[in-house]
Amino acid sequence: MKTLQIIRESPGPILQLQLLLLLLTRVCIYGYKPVIIVHGILDGPKQFNTMAFHINKVHPGTEVTVIDLYDNLASLEPMWKQVQDFRKAFNSIVQNATDGVHLVCFSQGGLICRALLSMAPDHNVHTFVSLSSPQAGQYGDTEYLRRVFPDCTKKIVFHFCYNRVGQKVSICNYWNDPHHRPRYLEGNDFLAMLNGDRPHNNMKAWRENFLNIKKLVLIGGPDDGVITPWQSSHFGFYDSDENIVEMRNQESYKNNTFGLKTLDARGDVSVCVHSGVKHIQWHSNYTVFMTCIEKWLT
């Protein structure tokens, strides 16, 4: 009876080339999608060096781009102006990302990204991470308010914000005073349109564009200290008595004005809450990254 012989010769050049091509193919197939980061108010790209490090530590080789526009004081420029320029930078990146990209957007940047996504037909964003962003608006006496309006408290800011001059300052574009709803609806040219609080002709198209994302990740927490109320990072907000109305009880959700209810019904809204994290710590906190962000950036 003959014994089966196992030949252990070195693979020839053709086989070696085939193995190399197979390896390269696997790298291409299983590579990570590029990540685009948009900074917040009164900061810039350098604040996101730690996050970029975290991403590449866990997902080696990921292309991470922090868009360098409207840094620091320039972030107070009107929101629609910023959206247009961020959209140009965004388009130049995604046109070469055939498998799609992820968006991580912090604070004010989360609103810029949502506006950008609403206005971009056929975009290829897979996951949109909204990191401590005032998605339902801002109403609070915080350090950031004092830096922009040193002599104002939250109760009187609406006098300045809800007019043509005030709408030239970014924070006024998402200032949502629950005690002056009619003034907000009439005088706010950004958030009222983005959330569909004030009906407009582009609502249907914006909703369809926004719904092209595959996952919406909402991150925030009670110790933020800037986003007020902190539940705004999860689309919750005050009623006229400053009681919190959670996301699913908001009129914009119930009326599905910009697609949030549809995303939620699809199972594509992830809400992540972390205590003990200050506003400027979200993008450098490794625990937040690993528990709320990392798994969505594949």
Side-chain angles (χ1 to χ4, degrees):
M1 183 176 178
K2 294 184 179 180
T3 304
L4 178 65
Q5 292 182 332
I6 300 176
I7 302 174
R8 292 187 174 87
E9 295 181 356
S10 300
I14 294 179
L15 181 56
Q16 289 178 336
L17 179 60
Q18 290 174 333
L19 290 172
L20 178 60
L21 289 174
L22 178 61
L23 177 62
L24 291 174
T25 300
R26 289 179 62 85
V27 169
C28 291
I29 292 174
Y30 298 108
Y32 299 108
K33 292 178 177 63
V35 176
I36 301 172
I37 298 176
V38 175
H39 67 78
I41 191 171
L42 300 178
D43 64 11
K46 69 178 183 180
Q47 278 81 12
F48 292 85
N49 290 339
T50 301
M51 174 169 280
F53 174 79
H54 290 337
I55 293 171
N56 269 287
K57 177 182 178 181
V58 179
H59 296 163
T62 301
E63 180 183 343
V64 180
T65 302
V66 186
I67 298 179
D68 189 4
L69 287 173
Y70 295 99
D71 305 342
N72 305 312
L73 288 176
S75 65
L76 295 175
E77 291 282 340
M79 291 290 280
W80 284 125
K81 178 182 178 182
Q82 295 192 52
V83 169
Q84 293 296 337
D85 289 337
F86 273 100
R87 183 180 175 186
K88 294 175 184 176
F90 167 83
N91 288 340
S92 68
I93 298 170
V94 300
Q95 65 184 358
N96 296 318
T98 56
D99 292 329
V101 300
H102 300 304
L103 267 181
V104 180
C105 309
F106 173 63
S107 192
Q108 177 178 280
L111 288 167
I112 290 172
C113 288
R114 187 153 66 89
L116 182 157
L117 291 170
S118 299
M119 298 175 67
D122 303 318
H123 66 74
N124 61 352
V125 171
H126 190 279
T127 299
F128 167 32
V129 177
S130 173
L131 182 59
S132 187
S133 175
Q135 293 291 352
Q138 174 75 6
Y139 180 73
D141 288 319
T142 67
E143 175 191 350
Y144 282 65
L145 180 67
R146 290 188 291 272
R147 290 169 69 179
V148 179
F149 303 116
D151 300 321
C152 288
T153 64
K154 67 180 184 180
K155 293 183 178 180
I156 64 173
V157 170
F158 78 96
H159 289 293
F160 176 78
C161 278
Y162 296 153
N163 59 59
R164 186 176 299 177
V165 175
Q167 288 298 294
K168 295 182 182 298
V169 180
S170 66
I171 193 172
C172 286
N173 294 149
Y174 49 92
W175 188 257
N176 189 358
D177 190 323
H179 306 291
H180 299 279
R181 186 70 173 177
R183 292 284 299 272
Y184 160 77
L185 292 174
E186 179 183 357
N188 185 291
D189 294 333
F190 180 77
L191 186 68
M193 296 181 65
L194 187 61
N195 282 356
D197 298 326
R198 188 171 75 225
H200 55 89
N201 294 333
N202 295 317
M203 284 180 64
K204 182 179 178 181
W206 287 10
R207 180 169 58 245
E208 291 175 354
N209 294 340
F210 183 62
L211 285 172
N212 284 330
I213 64 173
K214 304 301 185 292
K215 179 67 68 173
L216 172 63
V217 182
L218 303 172
I219 304 171
D223 300 309
D224 181 275
V226 172
I227 305 303
T228 314
W230 70 267
Q231 292 90 343
S232 181
S233 58
H234 301 145
F235 286 102
F237 205 71
Y238 294 129
D239 63 13
S240 59
D241 295 319
E242 296 192 31
N243 298 311
I244 294 298
V245 179
E246 300 293 347
M247 176 183 77
R248 292 185 177 93
N249 293 321
Q250 291 287 334
E251 290 301 315
S252 59
Y253 178 94
K254 291 189 288 186
N255 296 328
N256 205 26
T257 54
F258 61 92
L260 184 59
K261 185 176 181 179
T262 299
L263 274 177
D264 195 25
R266 279 173 16 191
D268 291 330
V269 176
S270 174
V271 175
C272 193
V273 180
H274 265 281
S275 301
V277 182
K278 299 298 183 184
H279 189 66
I280 61 173
Q281 298 172 339
W282 287 105
H283 44 70
S284 59
N285 188 298
Y286 189 64
T287 301
V288 170
F289 174 75
M290 290 303 297
T291 57
C292 301
I293 301 174
E294 181 274 331
K295 62 183 176 181
W296 305 117
L297 301 185
T298 57

Coordinates of all heavy atoms in Angstrom, one line a residue, residues 44 236 252 255 268:
G44 N -10.8 74.0 17.6 CA -10.3 73.8 16.3 C -9.8 72.4 16.2 O -9.9 71.6 17.1
G236 N -33.9 66.1 23.3 CA -34.8 66.5 24.3 C -34.7 68.0 24.6 O -33.7 68.6 24.3
S252 N -41.4 67.8 16.8 CA -40.6 67.5 15.6 C -40.4 66.0 15.4 O -40.3 65.6 14.2 CB -39.2 68.2 15.7 OG -38.5 67.8 16.8
N255 N -44.1 64.5 14.5 CA -44.4 64.9 13.1 C -43.4 64.5 12.1 O -43.6 64.7 10.9 CB -44.6 66.4 13.0 CG -45.8 66.9 13.9 OD1 -46.8 66.2 14.1 ND2 -45.7 68.1 14.4
D268 N -32.2 52.6 14.0 CA -30.9 53.2 13.6 C -30.5 54.5 14.5 O -29.7 55.3 14.0 CB -30.9 53.6 12.1 CG -30.9 52.3 11.3 OD1 -30.3 51.3 11.7 OD2 -31.5 52.4 10.2

